[in-house]
Amino acid sequence: MSVLAGISSQLENCGPRIPISAGDIAVLEGPAQFYDTLKSSIGKAKKRIFLSTLYVGKTEYELVACIRAALERNPSLQLSILTDALRGTREHPDPSCASLLLPLIKDFPNQVEIRMYHTPNLTGLRKRYVPKRINEGWGLQHMKIYGIDDTVILSGANLSNDYFTNRQDRYHVFKSKVASDYFAKIHHAMAGISFLLVPSAPHTTPWVLTWPQSNPAPSPMEEPDAYNTATTKVFKELITPSHYSLESFSETRSKGFLSSPSSQSTTSIYPILSLPQSINTEIPTLTTLLSYPYPQMSSYFFTAGYFNPHPLVASLLLAASNGNVASSTTNPNTTSSTLSASPFPPPSQQHPLHGTILTAHPHANGFLGSSGVSGLLPGAYTLLARRFLGAARQRCGDYVVLKEWKRGKVSEQEGWTYHAKGLWITLPKDEYNTSASPQTTTSHKETPSVPLALSGAAAGPSITVIGSSNYTLRSNTLDTEVGAVIVTSNEGLQRRLKAEEENLLRYAQDEELWKKDRRVGPVVRIALWIVGLVGGAL
């Protein structure tokens, strides 16, 4: 069995599989291209627009005008927007995401629905006394799904000016009805367990958040435990292959969906989902990818703008680069991150992978210069990166390199921030051959899969993880996250993934974690301890 076939077989135990033509996946380079693609797609929308995001910037009048124009042109067009309730209303009674979107509800009542998710982890006294500026540390709606008709964009970017201009992220465009239908189902399922934004009565506040009786769960503010139980039931069939039914979300059956790795496709998508205290397929997926016995000279590239990987993720990265993989993994058939025996136990020894870690330099951290507790975050991430690199040097030697992304300084003109996250795995050229994935007749868009061993060099990564997660403890225990693994033997797509890596590394520099001006004082260390003590996370 080839490496990619083996990986695909194991990923089948973590969630559903969506075959796709490699030519139907576009990799965007930066924020301007992302914004232009989003506006262009909205302008051409015919049936549906579904947008899941942390928030829509309170001054994104151009984007809202673009949506408004699309709704006016097409009375049958349906718009669904899902944001986070805490972030979406934080500025109230001043202008906010909620007040920006409210006119769309008033003007297009039969076409528009705005939902706002509220974490079940912030209730009672904690809800009452934790300040607005930091209450997001107890959980957010963090999914980034941007769907228009039969196309869906997965990203880590939110919908606000910096994400459209000078904040680097990742953006993958999937031109596939099956993929778009699947992520639309995820979007609407999450919207269905969220509050509904509605105009309020005259002479009161402009809007209110209501909990519709049609929601399949009780309010997370009133019954958080029952809410979590109901949420698990809602999403379980969407992420468990043995329970999933295609007919449950699409009237049109697409042959090959959720089929076995032997299907005639060179490229597949494996969705990832993480819901607080409910469902988590991210940890078992990453465990599968980083514990697999790859051949010698394989490598990985891992990036996170906010570098504070989940303890298990950090252990997996280190183990992959010293050849001592874990003997257990997270059971993909459970709804928690409890360790249990893997259905595909990896060997205790494997060839070490060369690892490159890329994170944001403090000058590219969006919290640089912030007032209050937020201003401590760049120093906190420096401390956490330093701890990780110290462990890497001790356990992995030169097999792990950490770099920092810096493009100017965020507080100065032309300064950018870094928000990208993901994982890429590249195999040595000898592993690419025609047996890596069954061959089929390709479409006119798809570059034929060829024996890369004969071409002289590996074209690029054959595996990548894209999505909203920062791979932190918070991402896996407090926030809602969505993403996907892409597995491909197609040379054209591998080259596009390689170009994506190179684009991110263009502004990378050697780490400077131990320089005098990067010293981390006791206030930062104490703040980290307090956040963990009261149940929050970075």
Side-chain angles (χ1 to χ4, degrees):
M1 181 182 290
S2 70
V3 173
L4 293 187
I7 283 289
S8 296
S9 178
Q10 293 198 21
L11 289 174
E12 290 265 329
N13 289 273
C14 299
R17 170 181 178 267
I18 305 174
I20 187 173
S21 168
D24 287 334
I25 300 177
V27 181
L28 307 184
E29 183 174 283
Q33 189 180 15
F34 166 58
Y35 190 36
D36 289 344
T37 300
L38 189 65
K39 289 189 298 180
S40 175
S41 299
I42 290 172
K44 300 174 185 176
K46 297 179 180 180
K47 299 177 296 182
R48 62 182 179 184
I49 301 172
F50 55 98
L51 309 174
S52 297
T53 188
L54 174 59
Y55 65 101
V56 180
K58 60 184 179 182
T59 59
E60 291 308 314
Y61 307 117
E62 182 181 49
L63 178 62
V64 171
C66 181
I67 294 173
R68 175 179 291 275
L71 292 168
E72 290 174 343
R73 282 193 302 269
N74 184 358
S76 65
L77 180 63
Q78 296 295 307
L79 169 69
S80 175
I81 298 179
L82 171 67
T83 76
D84 181 73
L86 298 176
R87 178 64 68 89
T89 63
R90 185 172 66 184
E91 299 90 347
H92 182 71
D94 294 330
S96 65
C97 170
S99 63
L100 176 75
L101 300 177
L102 187 64
L104 292 177
I105 305 172
K106 292 181 176 180
D107 297 343
F108 305 94
N110 297 322
Q111 293 175 261
V112 176
E113 181 181 76
I114 310 297
R115 294 281 188 147
M116 292 193 168
Y117 167 91
H118 192 290
T119 175
N121 197 40
L122 189 69
T123 60
L125 295 177
R126 186 183 288 169
K127 170 73 172 177
R128 178 179 297 181
Y129 292 111
V130 174
K132 284 186 176 181
R133 181 60 183 168
I134 64 172
N135 63 9
E136 298 168 12
W138 278 260
L140 294 169
Q141 192 308 106
H142 202 249
M143 300 192 307
K144 317 295 165 61
I145 306 173
Y146 306 123
I148 299 95
D149 292 335
D150 296 339
T151 295
V152 63
I153 302 172
L154 296 185
S155 179
N158 294 304
L159 300 180
S160 65
N161 182 65
D162 48 353
Y163 291 95
F164 301 151
T165 55
N166 60 355
R167 176 166 288 191
Q168 181 66 54
D169 215 299
R170 298 178 67 203
Y171 332 84
H172 284 202
V173 184
F174 302 90
K175 300 176 182 179
S176 161
K177 184 182 187 304
V178 178
S180 186
D181 283 350
Y182 179 85
F183 287 104
K185 187 66 176 180
I186 294 292
H187 166 90
H188 289 296
M190 187 64 68
I193 55 170
S194 299
F195 285 91
L196 180 67
L197 180 71
V198 297
S200 60
H203 311 300
T204 61
T205 57
W207 51 264
V208 293
L209 292 177
T210 65
W211 191 259
Q213 291 186 348
S214 59
N215 283 7
S219 168
M221 306 287 292
E222 299 175 0
E223 300 178 61
D225 291 338
Y227 174 87
N228 289 331
T229 299
T231 297
T232 301
K233 183 178 180 180
V234 168
F235 283 93
K236 188 173 183 180
E237 71 169 19
L238 290 174
I239 55 89
T240 305
S242 60
H243 294 111
Y244 191 80
S245 170
L246 177 61
E247 295 91 331
S248 67
F249 84 96
S250 176
E251 295 179 358
T252 302
R253 299 189 183 187
S254 298
K255 293 181 180 180
F257 183 67
L258 297 181
S259 54
S260 68
S262 62
S263 296
Q264 300 297 300
S265 175
T266 64
T267 304
S268 296
I269 305 169
Y270 297 87
I272 301 171
L273 185 67
S274 180
L275 306 178
Q277 303 176 42
S278 177
I279 287 172
N280 186 318
T281 66
E282 179 175 287
I283 290 296
T285 297
L286 292 177
T287 301
T288 294
L289 294 177
L290 290 170
S291 296
Y292 194 84
Y294 295 102
Q296 193 170 8
M297 300 305 295
S298 297
S299 64
Y300 70 78
F301 172 42
F302 178 84
T303 189
Y306 306 131
F307 191 74
N308 179 27
H310 187 291
L312 182 56
V313 175
S315 296
L316 288 167
L317 291 169
L318 294 176
S321 290
N322 73 3
N324 293 313
V325 298
S327 59
S328 63
T329 186
T330 306
N331 187 342
N333 296 317
T334 65
T335 59
S336 68
S337 55
T338 306
L339 292 179
S340 63
S342 169
F344 297 95
S348 59
Q349 292 288 327
Q350 68 178 40
H351 296 294
L353 277 64
H354 293 271
T356 299
I357 310 288
L358 179 63
T359 188
H361 186 279
H363 290 180
N365 189 303
F367 294 103
L368 184 69
S370 297
S371 59
V373 176
S374 299
L376 302 176
L377 290 175
Y381 289 120
T382 291
L383 177 62
L384 295 167
R386 188 186 297 172
R387 290 173 178 172
F388 176 86
L389 186 57
R393 288 176 173 173
Q394 182 179 12
R395 295 176 56 182
C396 309
D398 296 333
Y399 272 87
V400 174
V401 175
L402 190 146
K403 294 181 176 293
E404 296 181 296
W405 193 94
K406 180 181 178 182
R407 186 176 179 180
K409 188 175 181 179
V410 63
S411 57
E412 300 175 356
Q413 191 174 8
E414 306 300 326
W416 282 50
T417 53
Y418 186 73
H419 200 250
K421 44 264 189 179
L423 173 70
W424 298 252
I425 296 176
T426 302
L427 307 180
K429 63 180 182 181
D430 291 342
E431 289 302 315
Y432 293 97
N433 52 63
T434 53
S435 67
S437 179
Q439 300 302 298
T440 185
T441 302
T442 58
S443 70
H444 69 282
K445 300 183 197 175
E446 184 172 357
T447 303
S449 183
V450 298
L452 298 187
L454 302 180
S455 67
S462 55
I463 301 168
T464 191
V465 182
I466 175 77
S468 61
S469 177
N470 289 304
Y471 310 111
T472 61
L473 184 64
R474 167 179 170 166
S475 295
N476 279 277
T477 58
L478 299 176
D479 295 344
T480 67
E481 307 283 5
V482 72
V485 181
I486 302 171
V487 179
T488 184
S489 62
N490 180 270
E491 183 178 358
L493 180 53
Q494 289 169 353
R495 284 177 175 154
R496 295 197 291 278
L497 296 177
K498 180 63 175 178
E500 182 183 40
E501 281 185 318
E502 292 173 345
N503 178 56
L504 295 178
L505 288 167
R506 186 185 310 171
Y507 296 97
Q509 63 181 36
D510 293 339
E511 55 82 17
E512 300 175 334
L513 298 174
W514 279 274
K515 289 183 65 175
K516 288 184 178 180
D517 61 354
R518 300 284 295 277
R519 287 178 178 173
V520 179
V523 175
V524 171
R525 299 171 188 270
I526 293 172
L528 276 175
W529 176 73
I530 292 176
V531 168
L533 186 67
V534 297
L538 296 182

